[in-house]
Amino acid sequence: IRETKPDEIYKLADLSGKFVGVQTGATLDEQVQQMIKLPRIQYFTSIPEMTKALEQRDLDAIAVDYSVAEAILKHHSEFSILKDRLSKDEFGIAMRKNNPLKTSIDSCIRILEKKGEIQRIKDKWSKNRSAVRVMQQDWVGNDTLIVGTEALYAPYEFYQWGELSGIDIDIMYTIGKMLNKYIKFADMNFDVLIPSLVNEKTDLCIAAMSITEERSTSIDFSIPYDKNESVIVVHTPQHALEKFGDSTGMLSKLFQNIQSIFN
């Protein structure tokens, strides 16, 4: 527990020597160390746990993906996203090495991207203010795929009305329907997703997982199905950042420009 109240943070340089939360098993600790001078990294098993620590000012900042940061800010008006970004990530569906389904899954992702279906799913979960329902699995399939995920990462995967919901869940169900496979999700901590594949406890994993060279030494990935940015969320209200020279409008325009480059 911290003994002193943390300072308000306006830019990445203000986090030198400060407490930054990252999720165990994610790649954001490396990015934080590269972009911030001598950060004091603390690891958390879940985003809600990390968010609560920031709310209670046991942390100065947390590192998350941009879409996740947006979801957090919907419930925390006292939080803000720093203008400075950490990096850009590509998310893939993870699987064991030489999985025969890789070619089919890659083909499905290409078709869904071409039809604009992945963007439609993202808009469904990111832009709608009212709660929306997860896609219903109304088919049996010729066999079952066990898919690992971590359901504490809104808007990608989370529980709503007792149902596993979110961007990744809809995407996986859609691919399952295209392949005539019944999808059964296994909810687990993020840091055991890759071991679950290696140990053949799961067939696939989808959890906003960044495609990295290190991870690719032990598992394979599909082609990217989404691109996102890593950002820093701080316990500094938006109006304070605006006085410092930032604005929500500028952030929104910047992110739209980046999205247009990806699309």
Side-chain angles (χ1 to χ4, degrees), residues 63-239:
V64 294
D65 295 312
Y66 188 95
S67 296
V68 176
E70 283 191 314
I72 291 172
L73 261 61
K74 288 179 182 178
H75 305 285
H76 291 276
S77 59
E78 75 277 22
F79 291 178
S80 296
I81 301 172
L82 291 187
K83 180 180 178 181
D84 300 322
R85 275 26 180 173
L86 294 177
S87 73
K88 300 180 182 69
D89 293 315
E90 292 184 321
F91 299 154
I93 298 172
M95 62 196 78
R96 283 190 296 280
K97 286 286 187 181
N98 305 312
N99 190 319
L101 280 177
K102 175 172 166 54
T103 301
S104 300
I105 291 172
D106 286 350
S107 296
C108 289
I109 292 172
R110 290 190 183 96
I111 291 169
L112 294 175
E113 284 183 335
K114 188 174 182 179
K115 290 183 175 180
E117 183 66 14
I118 289 180
Q119 187 60 51
R120 188 197 66 77
I121 291 172
K122 288 179 64 178
D123 290 345
K124 168 186 171 181
W125 291 104
S126 301
K127 294 185 176 180
N128 282 297
R129 294 184 179 180
S130 59
V132 291
R133 288 281 185 182
V134 69
M135 177 181 176
Q136 295 303 304
Q137 192 166 197
D138 55 2
W139 64 95
V140 176
N142 53 23
D143 60 4
T144 299
L145 293 177
I146 307 299
V147 181
T149 192
E150 189 227 26
L152 293 170
Y153 209 67
Y156 286 93
E157 41 268 321
F158 61 102
Y159 281 102
Q160 178 175 259
W161 300 310
E163 292 181 309
L164 192 54
S165 306
I167 295 170
D168 284 350
I169 308 307
D170 272 4
I171 288 175
M172 197 67 250
Y173 277 151
T174 303
I175 291 174
K177 188 171 187 177
M178 294 170 74
L179 298 178
N180 194 29
K181 305 285 187 182
Y182 187 80
I183 304 300
K184 183 177 180 180
F185 283 102
D187 184 12
M188 60 190 73
N189 288 345
F190 189 86
D191 58 348
V192 297
L193 287 172
I194 291 177
S196 78
L197 287 172
V198 175
N199 296 325
E200 301 187 11
K201 302 295 185 183
T202 55
D203 299 303
L204 305 169
C205 286
I206 186 166
M209 188 180 290
S210 299
I211 300 171
T212 68
E213 188 174 337
E214 181 180 356
R215 287 172 176 162
S216 297
T217 59
S218 57
I219 59 169
D220 282 342
F221 282 97
S222 67
I223 61 171
Y225 65 87
D226 194 15
K227 298 179 176 69
N228 210 338
E229 285 187 294
S230 302
V231 298
I232 292 288
V233 175
V234 295
H235 199 305
T236 302
Q238 186 62 47
H239 66 82

Side-chain angles (χ1 to χ4, degrees), residues 50-62:
M50 199 160 68
T51 304
K52 185 176 181 180
L54 180 62
E55 181 182 352
Q56 295 176 341
R57 290 189 175 273
D58 292 329
L59 293 172
D60 295 283
I62 59 176

Side-chain angles (χ1 to χ4, degrees), residues 10-72:
Y10 301 99
K11 57 187 185 299
L12 283 181
D14 294 338
L15 287 170
S16 177
K18 302 289 187 181
F19 292 86
V20 181
V22 299
Q23 188 175 20
T24 303
T27 58
L28 291 174
D29 53 349
E30 297 174 10
Q31 298 176 27
V32 168
Q33 288 171 341
Q34 289 173 0
M35 299 293 291
I36 300 170
K37 183 179 179 181
L38 298 175
R40 303 174 75 175
I41 295 176
Q42 293 191 353
Y43 293 91
F44 293 82
T45 57
S46 71
I47 296 299
E49 182 186 357
M50 199 160 68
T51 304
K52 185 176 181 180
L54 180 62
E55 181 182 352
Q56 295 176 341
R57 290 189 175 273
D58 292 329
L59 293 172
D60 295 283
I62 59 176
V64 294
D65 295 312
Y66 188 95
S67 296
V68 176
E70 283 191 314
I72 291 172

